[in-house]
DNA sequence: ATGCCGCCCGTAGGGCGA
């Protein structure tokens, strides 16, 4: 008996719905956090998931961003966004599932280090730090999972030299990711499956997946209280091999009992 | 490299992602 938490940036739930359903059927996760659903709450295929026995929380918007959490058990105390931060972009969704506070995050991409979007990413992450600090004070059992758009270390990058200083790997972004861990979180993949050159995202261009030119930017972070129950963390590369895939692939954390 | 690929909106081609 185990409990599994998964995260997947699907890059449009409209396009990827059949793949998500196939993946749910195969893996039967207890919780699946979705990013970049790219749709409003109104057109979210709610009944499709409730018919499969999932409870659902959604924070959607037209065209861009959008996050959702599917759970086999009810979602309680749902919070959309970062409290006190008036951000029109729907990137954060939290809920309590059984005894665990779960936060689904879609961190801004940042475009390039000399762009306004990079400034937004850093400012946004500062707000996330405050939110996570408050959350951890209230909930010792917390999992924060999603697309962080940060590769924490060079071993999470296929070509560290080519990527040096670029967005997704820059020193400022990595320092923010470290600050997040320093609040009391563990990078579960790094703790449980510390092999190098394991990636969660591959560019659509240049045959990047076939050549394994990827980055590890999707993460499942957990407090030490959760970590005590953690047995396994894996990246499921299979959906990235499917026809018309998302450019990201799922990450799965398995807890005992 | 203002490139590559894919999705969105909308029905052409620019915005955006990473």
């Amino acid at each position: 008996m185990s409990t599994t938490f998964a995260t997947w940036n699907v890059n449009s739930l409209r396009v990827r719905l059949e793949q998500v359903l196939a993946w749910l059927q195969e893996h039967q996760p207890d919780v699946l956090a979705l990013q970049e659903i790219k749709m409003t709450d109104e057109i979210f295929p709610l009944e499709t998931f409730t018919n499969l026995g999932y409870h659902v929380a959604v924070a959607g918007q037209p065209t861009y961003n959008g996050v959702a959490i599917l759970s086999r058990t009810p979602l309680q105390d749902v919070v959309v966004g970062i409290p006190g931060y008036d951000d029109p972009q729907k990137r954060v969704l939290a809920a309590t599932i059984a005894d665990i506070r779960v936060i689904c995050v879609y961190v801004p991409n940042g475009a390039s280090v000399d762009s306004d979007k990079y400034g937004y990413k850093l400012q946004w992450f500062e707000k996330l730090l405050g939110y996570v600090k408050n959350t951890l004070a209230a909930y010792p059992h917390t999992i924060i999972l999603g697309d962080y758009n940060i590769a924490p270390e060079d071993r999470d990058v296929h070509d560290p030299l080519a990527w040096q200083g670029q967005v997704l790997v820059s020193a400022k972004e990595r320092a923010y990711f470290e600050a997040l861990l320093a609040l009391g979180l563990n990078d579960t993949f790094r703790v449980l499956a510390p092999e190098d050159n394991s990636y969660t995202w591959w560019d659509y261009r240049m045959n990047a997946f076939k050549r394994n030119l990827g980055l590890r930017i999707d993460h499942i972070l957990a407090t030490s209280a959760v970590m005590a129950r953690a047995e396994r963390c894996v990246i499921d590369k299979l959906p990235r091999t499917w026809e018309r895939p998302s450019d990201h692939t799922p990450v799965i954390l398995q807890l005992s009992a």
Side-chain angles (χ1 to χ4, degrees):
Chain A
M1 188 65 184
S2 66
T3 309
T4 56
F5 292 77
T7 181
W8 192 4
N9 178 325
V10 292
N11 185 18
S12 170
L13 183 58
R14 195 191 331 260
V15 174
R16 235 65 66 187
L17 182 60
E18 292 307 315
Q19 295 187 21
V20 171
L21 296 175
W23 195 85
L24 285 174
Q25 178 81 6
E26 173 69 21
H27 291 269
Q28 304 279 325
D30 295 279
V31 176
L32 175 60
L34 299 170
Q35 301 87 39
E36 284 205 88
I37 62 171
K38 296 187 174 179
M39 59 173 58
T40 59
D41 297 8
E42 288 70 28
I43 65 162
F44 187 91
L46 189 64
E47 283 186 11
T48 304
F49 294 115
T50 56
N51 288 343
L52 293 173
Y54 282 99
H55 301 261
V56 179
V58 188
Q61 68 174 85
T63 314
Y64 301 119
N65 311 309
V67 288
I69 301 174
L70 316 180
S71 170
R72 291 204 168 279
T73 58
L75 300 140
Q76 291 162 329
D77 302 317
V78 173
V79 174
V80 173
I82 297 174
Y85 179 29
D86 188 18
D87 183 2
Q89 302 190 26
K90 294 294 188 292
R91 298 179 173 277
V92 181
L93 182 60
T96 299
I97 299 169
D99 62 335
I100 297 178
R101 190 65 175 167
V102 175
I103 309 181
C104 173
V105 298
Y106 174 45
V107 176
N109 167 277
S112 65
V113 294
D114 55 1
S115 69
D116 292 344
K117 291 194 174 74
Y118 184 73
Y120 166 65
K121 182 177 192 174
L122 299 181
Q123 173 198 13
W124 189 96
F125 216 101
E126 189 73 40
K127 301 288 186 185
L128 180 69
L129 283 178
Y131 180 36
V132 170
K133 189 177 181 183
N134 291 339
T135 298
L136 298 188
Y139 302 94
H141 293 75
T142 295
I143 292 175
I144 306 174
L145 72 178
D147 176 1
Y148 286 78
N149 271 318
I150 298 173
E153 299 178 78
D154 277 354
R155 58 179 167 158
D156 302 313
V157 180
H158 67 90
D159 187 346
L161 203 59
W163 277 88
Q164 194 167 36
Q166 302 288 318
V167 73
L168 311 186
V169 310
S170 73
K172 282 182 182 175
E173 290 164 89
R174 285 178 167 176
Y176 267 119
F177 190 80
E178 280 300 314
L180 191 58
L181 297 183
L183 294 175
L185 292 163
N186 300 275
D187 178 351
T188 60
F189 183 82
R190 267 290 157 251
V191 174
L192 296 168
E195 64 264 26
D196 295 350
N197 310 115
S198 298
Y199 311 125
T200 65
W201 170 86
W202 299 261
D203 202 306
Y204 283 120
R205 299 166 291 186
M206 302 172 292
N207 277 316
F209 182 67
K210 281 183 183 170
R211 300 159 64 197
N212 200 27
L213 308 181
L215 302 176
R216 192 175 71 92
I217 55 177
D218 300 84
H219 310 297
I220 303 181
L221 309 188
T223 57
S224 297
V226 172
M227 209 63 213
R229 295 170 53 194
E231 293 183 325
R232 196 162 166 261
C233 183
V234 294
I235 297 165
D236 179 16
K237 287 176 73 170
L238 192 62
R240 190 62 178 80
T241 70
W242 293 345
E243 200 171 335
R244 209 178 177 194
S246 168
D247 44 355
H248 297 250
T249 211
V251 183
I252 310 166
L253 173 67
Q254 186 176 316
L255 305 183
S256 60

